[in-house]
Amino acid sequence: TDRDLARQLASIERRGYPAYKSLRGSYDMGGFTLSIDHVQGDPFAAPSQLSVVVPARTAGFPRPLFDAPHRKVALEDVLIRRFAQAASRVSFKVGGSGKSGLLATSRPGPEVLARSACEVSRDGLITLRFEAGLPAHGRTVDARACERMLLDLVPRCVDEALVCDDRALAVAQRAVDLADDQQAVRDELGRLGLVAFVADGSVLPRATGVSAKPLKGARPFASPASMRVTIDLPHRGPTSGMGIARGITLIVGGGYHGKSTLLRALQDGVYNHVAGDGRELVITDATAVKLRAEDGRPVHDADISLFIGDLPDGRDTHRFSTEDASGSTSQAAGVIEALEAGARALLVDEDTSATNFMVRDALMEAVVSGEHEPITPFVERVRDLWEQAGVSCVIVAGSSGAFFSVADAVIQMDRYEAHDITERVRRVCADLQAPQTPRAVGFALPQRERRVRIFGIKPQVRGGRRGSDARIKVRVRGLDEFSVGGGSVDVRLVEQLVDEEQTSALAQCVRCAAARGLLDGAHTAGDIVATLYAMIDERGWSAWSEHGDASCGLALPRPQELFAALNRWRATG
Ligand code: ADP
Ligand code: MG
């Protein structure tokens, strides 16, 4: 109980810092349980991992706030944000050396993601995981400060954030209502045959290139009448916006007129956003993958023959591997990998594409004849991707007219305003007797089941002993890179990885897969991803953690990003 905790603390006052280890365990705090899961080694090390478990009757959030997956995630997100706020208000009041007094949990950005920081069970039991810097003077235990922290401040955060009062109820209800509306749009996409929906009034641009905040004074989105659909949302009621139909959609327009901003909003629309973000009702098919050139990335055993034929060095592009892909080969691999990852839509921006992958003009065709050019440009395959593989595509192409004849719809961005110019494009093409872009022959998707074989993940052996002490070392560098054992993945250009906690989760996934022997070349990426997600479905966040006890700091990536990570593995050690 809390008395035991106080007694325990008194007994270690002024002792060396490692004495804190004796606190590990769970304490009944009267109303909730406090668990001290992992204790830091010294005041300057990564903070200790704690959690509180609040029973449903104490928490008191009504069941309709968590009785569907999307509602549960929305409620969890609210609880995390409220707890983080409460913790930041109290945490500076405890001082000391190193991280003494720190009290913090995840601080989510605008996306609403499932996070290890909070789990609400089917019955309404709330688990909230957080970090604490157990207080010290120098390197000795400051038990008085720790008592204040754990017996006074933490309970206050629990009261403020995890117990349902009128205010908490109102905030949670608003978030869950929004999640309902977002889910309704997602469900409607399929019924209406849409890739994406962009609600009228949405604010798409961000304040700066490095900010997730909406741009102040931006021109709100307005749908062209011919593309307008109205969806009757459960809470907001009838809501109109632009529906982007399945098939091939082209976004054109002058430079700086808002094309990339629209595409960016679409690629982020695979996630739900919080109220006030401006993109809360920009909803995209959740499997959509942004494609881009990634010069220098590794490619493992990808069949890119759909786009790249015989290479000058005679390499077989049915089984293409490289440690240093070119712009075009990287983008070709990107398409094939996206299909393997279950993408029903591809999003492409000319700004970040390899030109020679996208198009080739007639004059170049005439000069460098077919037998010397290994590339079949995307523009000649995109119709078959749609008609034969059912994969839609939204393409920003402001500089080449080659996509006009393959597009089902053409949107022009003009001073941030969207116009449907599909008919005008048809007329102009007819009047000019513009040549149709040819359709490349021999469309066949890769059939081979590709297996994942990852080298270089070795456990680090401590003190020369093998066995339970052998750890696979994991390091995460924000949205840039993560490493596991003796290998790493550069994720800087995996654009739909949006939160550093997703990178951490990817690292744990790879570690977990390695530990279970899933990366030995006997399993396909699909098997591995399915296994990892089934584990988390069954056992919650502890499934992906190293010691079977979850801590805060992980956010759920999409399967598409997990595929992307496996595909970009580089053995370094
Ligand atoms: P393009 O891709 O057509 O060249 P961008 O999408 O990069 O253009 O947009 C150019 C600039 O316009 C960006 O700085 C962006 O923030 C800004 N912008 C985009 N949409 C809007 C809008 N609706 N209102 C105001 N500014 C916008
Ligand atoms: Mg652009």
Side-chain angles (χ1 to χ4, degrees):
T1 68
D2 48 350
R3 288 251 188 94
D4 300 329
L5 181 55
R7 214 173 302 127
Q8 186 78 12
L9 273 169
S11 76
I12 61 169
E13 172 72 314
R14 302 270 164 81
R15 300 249 313 266
Y17 202 82
Y20 266 135
K21 300 258 186 215
S22 67
L23 295 185
R24 265 192 309 226
S26 297
Y27 302 90
D28 177 358
M29 305 291 281
F32 70 95
T33 306
L34 171 70
S35 292
I36 302 174
D37 302 316
H38 174 82
V39 177
Q40 64 205 98
D42 70 78
F44 301 89
S48 303
Q49 303 290 341
L50 282 68
S51 57
V52 291
V53 176
V54 187
R57 69 187 130 64
T58 312
F61 287 94
R63 183 167 294 272
L65 294 178
F66 55 86
D67 63 359
H70 67 274
R71 292 181 173 180
K72 184 173 99 80
V73 171
L75 175 62
E76 289 165 349
D77 181 75
V78 166
L79 298 177
I80 293 168
R81 288 172 200 268
R82 288 175 63 84
F83 194 92
Q85 230 170 28
S88 76
R89 267 202 300 274
V90 300
S91 77
F92 61 88
K93 290 180 188 155
V94 179
S97 57
K99 301 205 166 69
S100 288
L102 170 104
L103 211 52
T105 188
S106 300
R107 295 190 140 263
E111 299 86 12
V112 177
L113 304 173
R115 290 175 197 272
S116 63
C118 185
E119 281 182 83
V120 175
S121 79
R122 197 188 302 265
D123 308 318
L125 179 93
I126 298 173
T127 303
L128 195 299
R129 305 188 176 96
F130 59 100
E131 303 182 318
L134 300 182
H137 294 301
R139 290 183 191 278
T140 54
V141 167
D142 182 354
R144 297 265 294 276
C146 190
E147 179 173 342
R148 207 154 92 67
M149 187 172 176
L150 299 183
L151 278 81
D152 178 23
L153 302 183
V154 168
R156 227 191 288 168
C157 293
V158 170
D159 268 350
E160 275 180 39
L162 308 182
V163 176
C164 185
D165 55 18
D166 288 349
R167 233 195 95 57
L169 182 64
V171 172
Q173 189 68 57
R174 265 202 305 277
V176 169
D177 287 352
L178 175 58
D180 273 349
D181 284 350
Q182 290 165 330
Q183 188 59 39
V185 176
R186 284 194 194 285
D187 295 343
E188 282 298 280
L189 289 184
R191 220 178 51 82
L192 299 171
L194 302 178
V195 171
F197 175 79
V198 184
D200 290 330
S202 294
V203 174
L204 308 187
R206 301 295 95 187
T208 68
V210 293
S211 167
K213 297 240 151 55
L215 175 67
K216 285 209 182 73
R219 173 178 278 232
F221 186 81
S223 54
S226 55
M227 298 180 78
R228 191 168 300 150
V229 293
T230 301
I231 302 179
D232 195 8
L233 301 179
H235 302 284
R236 214 171 277 210
T239 300
S240 64
M242 177 171 78
I244 297 182
R246 299 191 58 78
I248 316 295
T249 302
L250 201 58
I251 300 172
V252 301
Y256 226 64
H257 280 257
K259 303 182 297 295
S260 295
T261 303
L262 172 58
L263 196 80
R264 180 99 219 173
L266 296 178
Q267 78 186 55
D268 290 339
V270 299
Y271 301 115
N272 285 348
H273 293 86
V274 292
D277 172 79
R279 300 166 298 177
E280 37 295 45
L281 290 176
V282 180
I283 303 286
T284 307
D285 183 322
T287 66
V289 169
K290 167 74 178 286
L291 267 188
R292 57 168 298 161
E294 290 178 64
D295 311 39
R297 66 158 276 199
V299 174
H300 305 301
D301 191 23
D303 181 350
I304 56 170
S305 57
L306 203 55
F307 300 104
I308 319 273
D310 305 318
L311 287 176
D313 55 7
R315 244 181 315 164
D316 180 8
T317 54
H318 289 84
R319 313 195 71 125
F320 180 72
S321 295
T322 178
E323 286 296 313
D324 182 11
S326 67
S328 57
T329 51
S330 65
Q331 208 163 350
V335 176
I336 299 305
E337 292 166 350
L339 298 186
E340 193 179 15
R344 288 187 299 263
L346 303 175
L347 309 172
V348 190
D349 191 333
E350 63 179 357
D351 290 353
T352 51
S353 292
T355 309
N356 61 341
F357 173 75
M358 297 294 283
V359 292
R360 180 165 58 249
D361 67 28
L363 191 52
M364 187 58 83
E365 183 90 43
V367 174
V368 180
S369 73
E371 58 200 286
H372 295 115
E373 173 52 89
I375 301 178
T376 303
F378 189 67
V379 68
E380 296 181 17
R381 290 289 193 199
V382 69
R383 280 246 51 102
D384 278 326
L385 279 174
W386 164 235
E387 288 171 17
Q388 302 211 39
V391 177
S392 301
C393 204
V394 181
I395 306 160
V396 171
S399 58
S400 168
F403 282 94
F404 281 134
S405 67
V406 299
D408 296 304
V410 184
I411 300 167
Q412 179 181 359
M413 294 306 289
D414 182 19
R415 274 162 280 172
Y416 318 131
E417 230 175 72
H419 300 273
D420 177 3
I421 59 163
T422 312
E423 285 313 314
R424 193 156 70 81
V425 167
R426 296 241 157 87
R427 269 201 317 276
V428 172
C429 287
D431 290 352
L432 293 178
Q433 296 177 315
Q436 297 255 319
T437 296
R439 193 184 289 210
V441 292
F443 181 87
L445 290 177
Q447 294 300 318
R448 180 167 55 87
E449 284 228 86
R450 198 158 60 95
R451 291 172 198 284
V452 177
R453 181 150 194 196
I454 280 181
F455 294 102
I457 301 190
K458 290 181 233 73
Q460 224 187 25
V461 184
R462 276 208 227 151
R465 275 187 302 129
R466 276 220 153 261
S468 62
D469 240 19
R471 297 260 165 78
I472 297 176
K473 197 169 168 209
V474 169
R475 258 193 46 210
V476 176
R477 289 213 349 252
L479 287 173
D480 290 347
E481 189 201 53
F482 70 85
S483 64
V484 181
S488 65
V489 180
D490 184 339
V491 290
R492 279 176 300 179
L493 300 183
V494 181
E495 291 185 5
Q496 287 165 298
L497 197 69
V498 292
D499 189 298
E500 299 183 2
E501 295 196 343
Q502 290 180 312
T503 321
S504 301
L506 289 179
Q508 290 305 330
C509 281
V510 172
R511 188 198 51 69
C512 207
R516 300 181 140 241
L518 294 171
L519 307 178
D520 57 2
H523 305 267
T524 64
D527 293 342
I528 296 165
V529 172
T531 305
L532 289 166
Y533 281 86
M535 282 165 59
I536 207 164
D537 269 351
E538 274 163 36
R539 296 198 275 131
W541 285 100
S542 61
W544 286 359
S545 81
E546 190 164 6
H547 312 289
D549 54 344
S551 51
C552 62
L554 306 182
L556 197 67
R558 297 186 306 161
Q560 282 73 23
E561 277 65 50
L562 184 45
F563 272 90
L566 292 172
N567 288 326
R568 286 165 182 72
W569 179 261
R570 218 191 265 282
T572 47

